[in-house]
């Protein structure tokens, strides 16, 4: 795909984030969509392309009153929205539609109008993982961690530092769920969830949503907000079974999606001013820094523990506070994209001064899928 | 009220041989007749070269502890926390999720790379699960 041909011209989260007991999941989709449409200065009837995950496009389109000529229901977990951005950019370039709305919402905490996740007993996961006691992401996502630590000499303290640093960023974000400072000792003394991970190394469970509006870069100049261009994109999937990953020393999906996006954008790692790496659990930023090629995996733990990703550090990472401290409704990718767009617009609460290139990297399932978007505010 | 039950696998036509094997006290894997690739989970073709000529064979049951978590909360129905959810790398190459028996469920006892051997745990008269214990000797 050619770089900078498509731009984000509308972006918004739901009016409320966190615990939202007064809205169903479907209404949260609509709330985010209406906020993004207002942000872009558009009318509902201007939307001719639509993408969402978990909920079907027909469900959300009908509720909102949208009549699309292009839809994408790609649903590969929390990074689905990165894939939607990639697919929407291709569709706009191909002339299939002009103005795409992407929505995410999840009543992850209040569970209003949200179908519970279940594993069919005759699926491969139901036969070869569920009988051994996996029960939700905390029991599955950290399974590779001990191998990763042993291979690369990563310490428990370094993995605790991920949560500490992200709490520093969260403290600068009024909408972050958790803002009180924490120490490495606090993390290592918090309640055990699934060894080696403790409560503060696991993501929040909240309600909320977000929406993006994309159009061609040529049209983007006429919108009220500063356009944020899609510079590069990548995607891949590996396996829905964490036990069947090629290796626990890296993520094949990360190693495919990330470099694709960098290559398409034509950038080097030193060009990256701002970075989001989907952090459902504390090991993900380490996998991401290594698999995206920022540094050898061995150095990732020390890099974060030494403060390089904290406010004022040389590689600002997860500047909203991340899934660990900002919010995590279950599929966090949309919130990472929202923060990248805010940073590129120059309006983030914890704004990185003069940031021109933002890389936003997502995961779906337990390393099952990945999507990477490179944004820029310069065409 | 009955105790909540552990998740029970439901075999499909492609996996029936595996579950017949565990019931008979065998850990069965598949090998490609064309390229010799050994793979898991079961399927009637080779995921490496796409050949449909594949054979089922009895694996050695030997392996080592590749990685694990010790789950504290929330516990799956039928499990008493803390319990380890392990991934075992088999001598033949494939990895599989399992549990470790005859071993304290602690980081000290569960050493990565420790040698393991398969054991079989009957859930009921139809389904037997493959689990692993520290290898003797």
């Amino acid at each position: 795909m050619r770089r900078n041909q498509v731009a984000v011209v509308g972006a918004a989260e739901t009016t409320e984030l966190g615990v939202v007991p007064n809205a169903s999941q479907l209404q949260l989709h609509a709330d985010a969509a209406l906020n993004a449409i207002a942000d872009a200065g558009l009318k509902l009837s201007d939307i001719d392309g639509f993408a969402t995950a978990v909920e079907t496009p027909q469900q959300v389109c009908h509720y909102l009153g949208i009549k699309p000529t292009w839809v994408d229901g790609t649903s590969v977990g929390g990074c689905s929205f990165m894939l939607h951005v990639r697919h929407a950019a291709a569709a706009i370039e191909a002339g299939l539609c002009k103005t795409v709305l992407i929505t995410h919402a999840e009543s992850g905490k209040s569970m209003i109008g949200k179908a519970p996740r279940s594993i069919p007993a005759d699926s491969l996961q139901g036969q070869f993982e569920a009988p051994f006691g996996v029960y939700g992401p905390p029991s599955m996502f950290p399974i590779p961690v001990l191998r990763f630590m042993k291979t690369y000499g990563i310490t428990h303290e370094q993995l605790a530092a991920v949560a500490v640093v992200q709490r520093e960023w969260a403290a600068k974000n009024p909408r972050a769920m958790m803002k009180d400072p924490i120490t490495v000792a606090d993390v290592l003394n918090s309640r055990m969830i699934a060894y080696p991970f403790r409560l503060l190394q696991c993501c929040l469970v909240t309600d909320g949503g977000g929406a993006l509006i994309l159009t061609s870069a040529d049209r983007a100049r006429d919108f009220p907000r500063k356009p944020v261009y899609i510079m590069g994109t990548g995607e891949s999937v590996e396996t829905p079974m964490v036990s069947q990953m090629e290796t626990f020393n890296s993520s094949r999906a990360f190693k495919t999606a990330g470099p694709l996006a960098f290559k398409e954008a034509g950038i080097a790692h030193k060009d990256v001013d701002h970075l989001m790496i989907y952090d459902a659990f504390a090991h993900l930023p380490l996998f991401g820094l290594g698999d995206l090629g920022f540094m050898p995996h061995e150095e990732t733990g020390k890099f974060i523990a030494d403060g390089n990703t904290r406010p004022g550090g040389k590689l600002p990472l997860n500047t909203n506070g991340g899934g660990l401290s900002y919010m995590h409704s279950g599929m966090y990718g949309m919130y990472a994209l929202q923060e990248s767009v805010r940073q590129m617009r120059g309006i983030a609460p914890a704004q990185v001064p003069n940031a021109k290139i933002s890389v936003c990297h997502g995961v779906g399932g337990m390393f099952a899928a990945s999507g990477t978007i490179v944004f820029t505010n310069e065409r | 009220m009955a105790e909540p039950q552990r998740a029970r696998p439901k075999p499909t036509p492609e996996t029936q041989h595996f579950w017949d094997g565990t019931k008979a006290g065998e850990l069965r894997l598949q090998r490609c007749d064309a390229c010799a690739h050994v793979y898991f989970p079961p399927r009637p073709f080779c995921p490496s070269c796409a050949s449909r000529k594949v054979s089922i064979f009895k694996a050695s049951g030997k392996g080592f502890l590749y990685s694990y978590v010790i789950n504290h909360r929330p516990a799956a129905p039928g499990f008493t926390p803390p319990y380890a959810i392990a991934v075992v790398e088999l001598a033949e190459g494939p990895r599989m999720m399992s549990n470790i028996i005859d071993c304290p469920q602690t980081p000290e006892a569960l050493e990565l790379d420790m040698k393991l051997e398969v054991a079989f745990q009957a859930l009921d008269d139809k389904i037997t699960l493959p689990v692993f214990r520290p290898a003797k000797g």
Side-chain angles (χ1 to χ4, degrees):
Chain A
M1 211 159 58
R2 295 181 304 153
R3 66 186 71 123
N4 301 344
Q5 299 302 304
V6 170
V8 175
V9 293
E13 294 171 344
T14 43
T15 309
E16 289 178 79
L17 284 183
V19 183
V20 191
N22 59 349
S24 68
Q25 182 160 295
L26 187 55
Q27 176 55 30
L28 291 171
H29 275 268
D31 183 51
L34 295 174
N35 285 345
I37 286 166
D39 182 67
L42 289 173
K43 302 188 296 292
L44 268 173
S45 56
D46 295 323
I47 304 297
D48 61 354
F50 181 80
T52 196
V54 181
E55 297 286 356
T56 59
Q58 58 267 39
Q59 179 80 271
V60 182
C61 281
H62 181 255
Y63 191 67
L64 274 165
I66 290 172
K67 298 166 185 141
T69 57
W70 176 88
V71 297
D72 178 14
T74 301
S75 195
V76 293
C79 66
S80 298
F81 317 100
M82 282 78 174
L83 275 67
H84 295 156
V85 168
R86 186 171 204 240
H87 302 172
I92 290 166
E93 265 228 88
L96 301 182
C97 52
K98 287 191 167 65
T99 310
V100 174
L101 169 67
I102 303 169
T103 68
H104 155 74
E106 207 161 9
S107 182
K109 176 81 173 172
S110 301
M111 297 293 287
I112 303 168
K114 174 183 160 72
R117 294 184 191 186
S118 67
I119 302 174
D122 54 0
S123 65
L124 291 176
Q125 297 94 308
Q127 293 181 71
F128 300 112
E129 290 197 333
F132 304 106
V134 297
Y135 201 60
S139 65
M140 288 189 270
F141 223 149
I143 286 177
V145 173
L146 290 175
R147 173 57 55 182
F148 186 88
M149 291 173 74
K150 179 164 181 174
T151 300
Y152 299 122
I154 303 293
T155 67
H156 291 282
E157 288 74 17
Q158 289 169 348
L159 281 163
V162 174
V164 173
V165 170
Q166 291 195 194
R167 188 60 65 85
E168 288 185 44
W169 284 112
K172 297 172 177 292
N173 279 268
R175 273 162 70 90
M177 186 90 174
M178 307 297 276
K179 292 191 273 288
D180 294 339
I182 52 173
T183 65
V184 167
D186 292 335
V187 177
L188 294 177
N189 289 320
S190 63
R191 198 169 71 202
M192 187 67 83
I193 300 295
Y195 176 84
F197 278 178
R198 295 169 180 273
L199 182 68
L200 294 176
Q201 291 165 304
C202 303
C203 63
L204 306 166
V205 181
T206 55
D207 304 323
L212 295 170
I213 295 171
L214 279 69
T215 194
S216 67
D218 291 338
R219 288 183 69 208
R221 282 189 293 261
D222 304 329
F223 282 76
R225 305 287 180 206
K226 181 175 178 177
V228 177
Y229 300 99
I230 312 299
M231 197 181 192
T233 62
E235 68 185 287
S236 192
V237 296
E238 185 177 356
T239 167
M241 301 170 76
V242 68
S243 64
Q244 299 305 311
M245 291 172 70
E246 274 184 7
T247 171
F248 285 174
N249 296 324
S250 70
S251 156
R252 193 186 79 194
F254 282 18
K255 288 181 94 155
T256 305
L260 262 177
F262 274 75
K263 190 178 173 203
E264 194 172 281
I267 59 164
H269 294 87
K270 64 172 171 43
D271 301 326
V272 177
D273 301 310
H274 171 252
L275 178 61
M276 299 297 288
I277 299 176
Y278 188 131
D279 59 320
F281 293 88
H283 57 317
L284 292 173
L286 279 65
F287 274 77
L289 286 171
D291 289 342
L292 267 56
F294 281 93
M295 64 201 68
H297 290 91
E298 294 80 335
E299 296 172 16
T300 55
K302 184 172 189 301
F303 186 79
I304 291 175
D306 285 352
N308 291 297
T309 60
R310 64 185 291 199
K314 64 180 170 192
L315 184 59
L317 169 66
N318 293 342
T319 50
N320 58 354
L324 296 178
S325 286
Y326 182 68
M327 90 85 72
H328 194 294
S329 55
M331 297 173 57
Y332 166 80
M334 176 57 81
Y335 309 97
L337 290 165
Q338 294 286 337
E339 176 65 8
S340 280
V341 170
R342 285 192 293 263
Q343 289 285 348
M344 291 297 92
R345 286 177 168 183
I347 58 164
Q351 182 63 42
V352 175
N354 305 313
K356 294 184 174 63
I357 293 179
S358 173
V359 171
C360 190
H361 178 74
V363 68
M366 321 297 145
F367 294 111
S370 186
T372 312
I373 304 295
V374 181
F375 292 103
T376 184
N377 49 22
E378 292 186 333
R379 190 163 181 198
Chain B
M1 208 173 88
E3 287 293 306
Q5 294 293 304
R6 179 171 175 149
R8 186 183 179 283
K10 185 176 171 191
T12 61
E14 299 81 22
T15 64
Q16 188 65 51
H17 70 268
F18 180 87
W19 296 111
D20 289 345
T22 53
K23 198 178 161 191
E26 290 186 4
L27 186 67
R28 292 180 183 165
L29 293 175
Q30 285 169 301
R31 181 186 289 118
C32 175
D33 296 341
C35 77
H37 179 57
V38 178
Y39 62 89
F40 175 86
R43 71 206 86 164
F45 62 92
C46 172
S48 183
C49 79
S51 170
R52 291 176 187 262
K53 293 195 171 68
V54 297
S55 302
I56 296 164
F57 70 100
K58 180 184 169 182
S60 66
K62 308 280 186 209
F64 68 86
L65 183 56
Y66 183 59
S67 200
Y68 66 92
V69 294
I70 303 172
N71 198 37
H72 286 246
R73 63 170 66 201
F79 283 82
T80 306
Y83 62 94
I85 305 167
V87 173
V88 178
E89 183 164 318
L90 301 172
E92 291 81 2
R95 295 191 198 112
M96 58 188 299
M97 189 174 279
S98 191
N99 298 122
I100 309 298
I101 62 166
D102 300 341
C103 182
Q105 306 290 288
T106 63
E108 295 71 30
L110 292 162
E111 274 190 68
L112 287 201
D113 300 314
M114 70 192 283
K115 288 182 179 167
L116 301 168
E117 60 188 25
V118 74
F120 296 96
Q121 230 174 38
L123 272 191
D124 53 37
D125 58 0
K126 287 204 177 69
I127 292 289
T128 295
L129 295 177
V131 295
F132 287 81
R133 64 177 160 233
K136 295 185 182 77

